[in-house]
Amino acid sequence: MSTKYVLIGNSAAALAAVDGIRKFDKQGEITIVNRETGPAYSRVALPYYVAGEMTLDDLLIRQKPDYQKIGVSLVENENVKAINASAKQVELESGKKVSYDKLLIATGSETIVPPIQGLSSIPHHYLWTLEDAIGMKKAAERAKTAVVIGGGFIGMLAAEALRKLKIKLTIVEMAPILLPQLLDEGAGNLFLKAVRDEGVTVKTGALVSAVAKKGDAIEVTLKSGETFTVDMAVVATGVRPHAAFLQSSGITLNKGVLVNEYLQTNQADVYAAGDVAETKDFLSADRSIYAIWPTAIDQGRAAGVNMTGKRQEYPGSLGMNVVELFNVTLAQLGRFREGPGDSVKMLSSKGSEESYRKVVVDKNGTLVGAVYVGDENGVAEMGVIHSAIKRREKWQGFKDGRQPQFTYGAVMHNVPRY
Amino acid sequence: MKQIVVYQEKCTACRECEVSCSFSHEGAFVPALSRIKVADFYEEQFYQPMVCVHCADAPCAAVCPTVAIQRQADGQIKVIDDRCIGCKMCLLACPFGVMGFSPDKGVAHNCDFCDGDPQCVQFCTPGALEFKDVVSAAAPAKQKAAAALGLPQT
C-alpha cells in the first residue's frame, strides 16, 4: 500500500520536500494543504512585482500541471485548525479531515504586528504574502510619500521597490544601522551612507510610537516626539513561525516547532521544515530559525527524504543572505559579528570607502562567518567562503594581500559528478 | 554530457580564456565578466582554470528562488534570463565561485558552452581546456579501476 504524505504549506520547504520524497518514493500519495490559493509563488520576488518589474505570472515557481505531473494533490484556501497526532489526522477549519502516514509542517512564518498606537486605524501594508504585495502595489500607485517601519531585510526590499516607483521615502529603524541582522557596524555605516546618498530619509535608533489618519494622509509620531506625514505606511518589523495552531497538538514548540537532526518532531511521523522549524544550528550548540529560502530548501529536502524512511541527517542551519539594494551588493554568512574568542580578518579592497569585507575566525582558527559590502564581483568569492565554512575549513590567511587563501583541495573539494 | 575538461598542468595563467569569454559574451575584454576564472595558487605553485561543472546536485539551481536556473535535457545548467531577478543567491551558493553576474543585464550567468563552441577552448593556446563528452572520457579510467579491483568492466 502506498504511503500517504501530507504537507502543510506550499512554498520552498514543502516543494523541496516533494523533491526529497519523490527521489525515493515514486508511488506515494502526496497532498499539499495550502492556506493561500493558486500554485506556489516566489516570496523573494514579491518586491519586484511591487516595483512593476514582474507580473503575477512571473512570480509563479510552479504551474498547476507541475503538481499533477509528479502526483501531488493541492488543497487550496484551507487553514489547518489542528493536528491530531494520535489519530494521524489533520483537521481543517472547513471541518474536513485529512489522514496521513507522514506529515510535514512547512507553514512558514507570519508577520509580526508591532505595538504601535493607532496602527489598526490606518491603512498599512506588509510585504510577506502575494496578497500583501498586490495591496502594496495598488497603494503605491497613488502614493507620493511613504514611511517604511523597520529597516530589516523585508523593509529594505520594500523600500527599494517603492523607490523604483519614485516614492519619497522615510525609513525608521530601531537599531543604529540598517539591516542589523545582515551587517555589522562597519558595513552598516557604509550602507547607511549609500542609502542616504540616494535621497532617502533614514531615522536610525528611532521608534514609531503612534500613527493616525490626518485627512488622506497618515501622521507618524516617533518616540522622540518628532512627527511627519506620509501617503502610505509599510510595516516590516519581522516575522515569526506560523505555529500557533499547533498549541494543543502535543507537538513540542519553542520559538518554532522543535525538530531533531532528522527534522522529526516529538510526535511519530510528524516532521517540520522551513521558517516554522527550530533546528540545530550549524555553528553552535544552540537551536536556530533562519527564515531564509536556502535553509527552507535544505531542510525541506532532508525532511522529504526522511519521511520516506531513508535517513538523511540535517547538518544544521547556517545564516546566509545576499541582496542588492540602492546599487550596493550586501552579503552575509554565518557568525559575522565576532563573539568572545573570535578574531576578525579585515579586508577592504581598493577604494576602501566603497567596499567592506570581513571574515570571522573562531578561537580554533576555523572560519565561521563573513560579511561583504561592495560590488557584485565579491559575492562569488563569498560562495567559496560559504563552502569553506560548511567544511569547517581553517583560516589560511590572505593571498596577494587581498583575497582569502584557500588550498587547492578546499576549492576543488566537491568533485563534480557528471 | 559534453563538458569543458581542464588539464590543470598545462595552464600557464595566460588568461586568454577569460578575455575570450568576456568578449564573446559581453563584447568587452574584461576578465571580471568572464564565466571561466583562472584561480592562482601561488603557495602550491600552480594555476587552476575554474568553470561551471554543471554539478549533479547544482546548489545554484536548488537555491534559486524563482526557478531561473534549470537543468536542460543535455545536462547543462542554464540561467533563464527572463526569470532571473538578480538576487545573487546562486553566487553565494556556488562552492567553486564560478557563478557570475552581468551588471548590464542584471542577471546571473554561468558557462553556457557558447552554444556548443566554447571560445575559451578555442583560444586556449597551451591546450589546457578541451570540450568533450566526459562520460566517455572517464570510461577508460573507470574500466582500469574496475579491472584493478577485479570488478566486471562495463
Side-chain angles (χ1 to χ4, degrees), chain B residues 21-129:
Chain B
C21 176
S22 91
F23 185 68
S24 71
H25 286 97
E26 313 292 336
F29 295 109
V30 182
L33 296 176
S34 172
R35 298 163 190 221
I36 184 167
K37 312 245 188 241
V38 179
D40 42 51
F41 296 90
Y42 295 129
E43 296 289 319
E44 291 94 338
Q45 295 191 347
F46 71 88
Y47 313 107
Q48 175 69 44
M50 303 288 295
V51 64
C52 180
V53 292
H54 303 268
C55 311
D57 56 353
C60 56
V63 85
C64 176
T66 58
V67 205
I69 303 179
Q70 298 173 9
R71 189 178 297 280
Q72 306 300 294
D74 64 357
Q76 189 190 146
I77 291 291
K78 188 175 167 64
V79 179
I80 314 297
D81 287 1
D82 289 348
R83 291 205 62 85
C84 178
I85 56 173
C87 73
K88 305 190 186 78
M89 195 54 95
C90 52
L91 275 76
L92 203 52
C94 175
F96 304 114
V98 293
M99 189 54 95
F101 192 80
S102 300
D104 290 347
K105 295 180 201 155
V107 298
H109 62 216
N110 66 327
C111 170
D112 59 1
F113 301 138
C114 298
D115 292 327
D117 183 21
Q119 293 302 290
C120 55
V121 175
Q122 288 287 329
F123 284 88
C124 180
T125 312
L129 304 173

Side-chain angles (χ1 to χ4, degrees), chain A residues 9 36 55 57 60 69 71-72 92 110 112 115 131 137 167 197 217 265 286 321 326 339 350 374 415:
Chain A
E36 295 179 71
T55 65
D57 280 347
L60 299 181
K69 259 186 251 169
V72 175
L92 307 180
E110 57 192 0
I112 291 172
E131 203 182 332
K137 187 174 169 62
I167 292 174
D197 286 350
T265 68
D286 302 336
N321 238 319
F326 298 87
K350 58 181 177 177
V415 177

Side-chain angles (χ1 to χ4, degrees), chain A residues 42 44 48 54 58 60-61 293-294 321-322 324 329 376 380 382-383 386-387 399 406-408 411 414 417-418, chain B residues 3 40-41 44 46 48 50 56-57 62-63 65 67 83 85 87-89 91-92 94-97 101 103 134:
Chain A
S42 174
V44 180
Y48 300 86
M54 291 179 94
D58 292 338
L60 299 181
I61 52 174
W293 196 269
N321 238 319
V322 57
E324 184 181 320
T329 297
E376 58 277 345
M382 286 284 277
H386 178 212
S387 65
K399 63 179 182 180
F406 295 104
T407 62
Y408 171 73
V411 175
N414 295 312
R417 288 169 282 151
Y418 299 113
Chain B
Q3 173 67 283
D40 42 51
F41 296 90
E44 291 94 338
F46 71 88
Q48 175 69 44
M50 303 288 295
D57 56 353
V63 85
V67 205
R83 291 205 62 85
I85 56 173
C87 73
K88 305 190 186 78
M89 195 54 95
L91 275 76
L92 203 52
C94 175
F96 304 114
F101 192 80
V134 286

